[in-house]
Structures are given as C-alpha cells and as structure tokens.
Amino acid sequence: EAGVAQSPRYKIIEKRQSVAFWCNPISGHATLYWYQQILGQGPKLLIQFQNNGVVDDSQLPKDRFSAERLKGVDSTLKIQPAKLEDSAVYLCASSFGGRVGGELFFGEGSRLTVL
Amino acid sequence: KQEVTQIPAALSVPEGENLVLNCSFTDSAIYNLQWFRQDPGKGLTSLLLIQSSQREQTSGRLNASLDKSSGRSTLYIAASQPGDSATYLCAIPTTDSWGKLQFGAGTQVVVTP
C-alpha cells in the first residue's frame, strides 16, 4: 500500500518569496493534516481537513498561510510571503478519520529553509 | 488543555541495553496514545497505537504500556541496537477535534555500538 506522498522534499527560498507544498494521502483516508515541525520541537498542527472541508485551522497564520484540499484527495499548503521563522519541516499526515481519528500516517516531510 | 511531556530530552545507551522512554500527560480522558519514531530529516513512522481500554501493546521488541490514572505511558525497547537511534515521540488526540494530535517534544536516543 502506498504511503503519504509529499513534494518537494527540500526547498530553499528568500524571505518574502512564496512556496507551495503538495501532499497526496493514503487512498481512502478521509482526514488530512498539515503539521509544522520546528527543529527540536514536536509537530504542531496547522490545519486539518475532513474530506474537502476544514475541521480545524485555529493555528494557521492566515495572513500568510493558505491550504486547500480540492476534491477531498490531495492537498496544497502555500506560504506567501515567507518569513525567517517559517523555516521548518512541513509534515502531511492522513487517517481514516472519524470523531476519535484513529492511527495517523505521516509523509517524509518537506523541509523549508528561509534565508 | 492537554499537555504532553517527554523526559529525558536525550538518552544514550550502549548496544544491548533495554530502552525505557517516558511520556506523561495531564488529562487522563484520552481515546488512545500513539508512539512514533523519527529519523533525522525524515517524517514520522508510527510504532504503536494503544487504545484507552488497553494496558499495553506489543510489536516485536517494542512494548508500550498505558496508565491513564497516573497520566503515563512507557515505551520499552528490548535489546537495543544502533539502528534504534532516532527521536521517539508520543502523541495523544485532543478531545476537542477530530483526531488532532498533541505531541510531546520527543526523546532523542543514541545507541552506541
């Protein structure tokens, strides 16, 4: 069974530039999550989708971050304009979903460096 | 609000020793607890998911225990190997959202040959 796919794996940009990350979840998984992981810390949820609807985006900096999950399958996370503090690994995860959630499966992550 | 703590932040053991990793949480009303492994520069790999009704869960050399009343989970890795070197994170779904996980900061493990 294919896992969660993410691209690109690495991206280096200058501050104020824009960047986009793509995620394709495990087939059949209704719930998709984007997490931000800063070096030395545990992942922090940015946004959670149930099918193509947003369940939780309370920690998403909406002035610069946006995400969409058209057709309830793959998803794109965009940052515009990027700041130095956005340097982190962006992890996509998926699960079958439901009120309790169930086991989460993560992709390899996209490492962003903002200079 | 649920808080998840992992102590120590780092651990070094010689090969062959058993590893004991701790995870504590403040709200005992949990659905389940999940342990992950993260290699440098990689994503998270799910190791074990232990349901709230379970006391322990085993997979190969890994065993996770759960004591909700004391707000603790322990991950045991038997007969450690250099390939076990990684960061281990525990995570708990928050009760206010569908499956959103609250993570600890992780314990970085080094197993020396």
Side-chain angles (χ1 to χ4, degrees):
Chain A
E1 178 182 299
V4 177
Q6 289 189 247
S7 67
R9 287 293 318 279
Y10 306 94
K11 191 74 176 178
I12 301 174
I13 62 173
E14 296 191 349
K15 60 183 179 183
R16 291 188 289 274
Q17 287 187 325
S18 63
V19 64
F21 302 113
W22 173 84
C23 171
N24 191 285
I26 292 172
S27 178
H29 280 192
T31 308
L32 184 148
Y33 312 78
W34 282 102
Y35 281 84
Q36 179 193 58
Q37 186 178 25
I38 293 171
L39 189 65
Q41 300 179 16
K44 181 187 81 171
L45 181 74
L46 292 175
I47 189 166
Q48 178 182 350
F49 294 93
Q50 180 74 15
N51 296 309
N52 60 348
V54 175
V55 174
D56 186 342
D57 63 356
S58 57
Q59 298 193 79
L60 185 74
K62 297 180 186 64
D63 58 335
R64 297 183 300 105
F65 286 66
S66 65
E68 60 183 11
R69 191 184 184 197
L70 300 175
K71 301 179 183 177
V73 181
D74 55 352
S75 176
T76 303
L77 176 71
K78 296 180 181 177
I79 308 174
Q80 181 179 14
K83 292 185 174 182
L84 296 177
E85 58 260 37
D86 298 332
S87 294
V89 177
Y90 292 86
L91 297 162
C92 180
S94 70
S95 73
F96 278 112
R99 188 63 181 91
V100 176
E103 192 171 3
L104 264 68
F105 297 88
F106 282 79
E108 291 285 313
S110 295
R111 180 178 295 274
L112 174 66
T113 302
V114 182
L115 304 175
Chain B
K1 180 190 170 189
Q2 179 74 271
E3 293 186 9
V4 183
T5 305
Q6 293 185 251
I7 296 173
L11 184 61
S12 180
V13 298
E15 182 177 4
E17 266 198 21
N18 296 331
L19 279 164
V20 180
L21 305 177
N22 299 304
C23 173
S24 60
F25 46 93
T26 54
D27 185 349
S28 61
I30 65 171
Y31 295 116
N32 57 54
L33 185 147
Q34 197 168 352
W35 282 94
F36 294 90
R37 169 186 170 135
Q38 187 172 33
D39 292 289
K42 301 279 191 176
L44 279 67
T45 300
S46 178
L47 296 175
L48 289 168
L49 184 146
I50 183 165
Q51 300 290 352
S52 63
S53 58
Q54 296 178 300
R55 297 283 302 206
E56 62 179 66
Q57 182 74 265
T58 298
S59 176
R61 294 185 295 113
L62 277 59
N63 175 278
S65 67
L66 177 64
D67 184 345
K68 288 194 303 178
S69 61
S70 64
R72 285 190 295 193
S73 176
T74 303
L75 178 67
Y76 301 90
I77 304 177
S80 62
Q81 304 167 359
D84 295 327
S85 298
T87 296
Y88 293 83
L89 299 103
C90 65
I92 297 171
T94 63
T95 52
D96 62 343
S97 186
W98 291 44
K100 179 175 79 173
L101 292 181
Q102 181 70 34
F103 281 86
T107 295
Q108 185 177 16
V109 171
V110 174
V111 180
T112 55

